[in-house]
Amino acid sequence: MQRTIVEKVEPVAEGVVSLLLRGADGPLSSWEPGAHIDLTLPNWLTRQYSLCGDPADRDAYRVAVRHDRLSRGGSEYIHLFLNTGRPLDVSLPRNNFPLRPAPEYLFVAGGIGITPLLPMLTAAVEAGASARLLYVGRSLATMPFAGDLRAVHGSRVRMHVTETHGRPDFAAAAAALGPEALVYCCGPTTMLDAAEAVFCAQRLYLERFRPVDKEFAPGEAFDVHCARSGRTVRVGAEESLLDALNHAGLRIPSGCREGVCGSCEIPVIGGEPEHRDDIGAPPGLMYSCVSRARSSDLTVDL
Ligand code: FES
């Protein structure tokens, strides 16, 4: 955990504020474009937000938060109650959406999905790649950082306003890409689904705010052996691995509890996990809030 102070709360679009969080105890942990942090709010909720400032600035983090009408208390608290001067604990940055090297990029953002893509676009341009951004929103007034993007990146950025122009033509955008282009997309589920259908010939990387609807067979109980502590914990059929470990006193951090943020990762060293997350667990890791075991037991490095 890192201690920060809320230095600025600033509207950056209709229903969106940007937070500038200054490190309270000196420089903050470094991060790469695409990373996010967990904010532990004074109302005890933990929420994940992409870092959208300058990775070279170790003194402060910037995030942007849309006021979600269906807020479960996170964005609502930030918009209604969070003031400058408040101390706020933030996690170390975690990156499930890293920028891979390529000669050409297309970044596709929908609304608040612009946040991880802002530093990615800057990094791609600085690396000398051909980089373009297709930024989709209902109206310009609802699109955070639209003015800054046009001022800094000019014709690399194309704004697409759905209120007046309907859905963007992803097929035309895909046809204009070279064979080595990478596509990075972040936004609402409908947009990500459309991108998946169209950019199938390119290497496409998505970041989701919400899990994809999927069906799994009913969970079965299994044992998890914790190699370092020498303990074995039974995970009930109706219980998550995360809850079982926490109830056993092995404290595992968590954020979304939906398999999209990565906070609850644990190293697996034996058995076969059944991955149910939407991040894409790298070899040797699993996300304990949603994932379970295919084998009768697992061994984890806890
Ligand atoms: S708590 Fe977010 S992936 Fe598990």
Side-chain angles (χ1 to χ4, degrees):
M1 243 350 140
Q2 307 177 87
R3 194 94 169 136
T4 67
I5 304 290
V6 180
E7 182 168 296
K8 203 189 278 184
V9 182
E10 180 184 29
V12 286
E14 265 174 29
V16 182
V17 290
S18 149
L19 307 180
L20 189 68
L21 307 172
R22 186 154 301 276
D25 306 311
L28 294 163
S29 274
S30 61
W31 58 281
E32 303 271 325
H36 70 265
I37 49 172
D38 299 346
L39 301 192
T40 304
L41 298 170
N43 62 356
W44 298 102
L45 289 173
T46 301
R47 292 291 180 261
Q48 295 74 46
Y49 297 101
S50 295
L51 290 165
C52 60
D54 176 3
D57 180 2
R58 297 281 304 278
D59 294 328
Y61 290 151
R62 185 174 67 161
V63 298
V65 182
R66 179 178 294 286
H67 192 173
D68 184 352
R69 289 207 181 88
L70 303 174
S71 172
R72 292 171 294 166
S75 73
E76 186 157 81
Y77 182 90
I78 289 170
H79 275 260
L80 300 183
F81 303 114
L82 194 65
N83 295 321
T84 55
R86 268 270 194 188
L88 210 54
D89 284 343
V90 308
S91 69
L92 297 176
R94 176 179 296 104
N95 199 349
N96 303 325
F97 193 43
L99 187 66
R100 292 162 163 88
E104 181 182 1
Y105 297 93
L106 174 64
F107 299 101
V108 182
I112 194 70
I114 188 63
T115 49
L117 301 180
L118 270 178
M120 292 171 117
L121 173 63
T122 303
V125 171
E126 285 174 0
S130 159
R132 281 172 301 127
L133 168 69
L134 172 57
Y135 187 7
V136 184
R138 185 165 44 81
S139 66
L140 273 181
T142 63
M143 295 162 72
F145 309 115
D148 294 354
L149 275 163
R150 277 207 287 224
V152 175
H153 292 290
S155 61
R156 277 193 202 99
V157 177
R158 187 156 76 79
M159 305 288 174
H160 183 97
V161 173
T162 58
E163 223 169 42
T164 49
H165 291 84
R167 291 188 171 199
D169 186 351
F170 283 169
L177 292 172
E180 294 180 79
L182 302 187
V183 181
Y184 282 79
C185 186
C186 184
T189 302
T190 46
M191 196 184 91
L192 299 187
D193 292 346
E196 268 187 320
V198 174
F199 293 109
C200 41
Q202 281 80 31
R203 283 165 61 201
L204 172 67
Y205 298 95
L206 304 175
E207 180 154 82
R208 293 186 179 275
F209 307 139
R210 299 265 183 265
V212 177
D213 283 338
K214 22 187 170 14
E215 299 262 322
F216 291 102
E220 288 187 18
F222 61 97
D223 285 329
V224 56
H225 308 296
C226 302
R228 262 187 286 146
S229 60
R231 299 184 54 188
T232 293
V233 176
R234 184 75 172 161
V235 183
E238 304 288 328
E239 187 181 30
S240 71
L241 171 56
L242 173 69
D243 285 341
L245 292 169
N246 279 330
H247 290 155
L250 293 149
R251 195 164 144 49
I252 311 296
S254 62
C256 68
R257 291 180 161 257
E258 295 183 315
V260 294
C261 78
S263 312
C264 64
E265 73 176 26
I266 54 174
V268 191
I269 51 182
E272 189 187 355
E274 182 190 22
H275 297 292
R276 296 183 172 191
D277 59 275
D278 287 292
I279 301 167
L285 288 180
M286 68 185 291
Y287 299 108
S288 58
C289 63
V290 289
S291 297
R292 305 186 62 82
R294 254 190 239 293
S295 44
S296 60
D297 56 2
L298 292 177
T299 305
V300 298
D301 190 14
L302 291 174

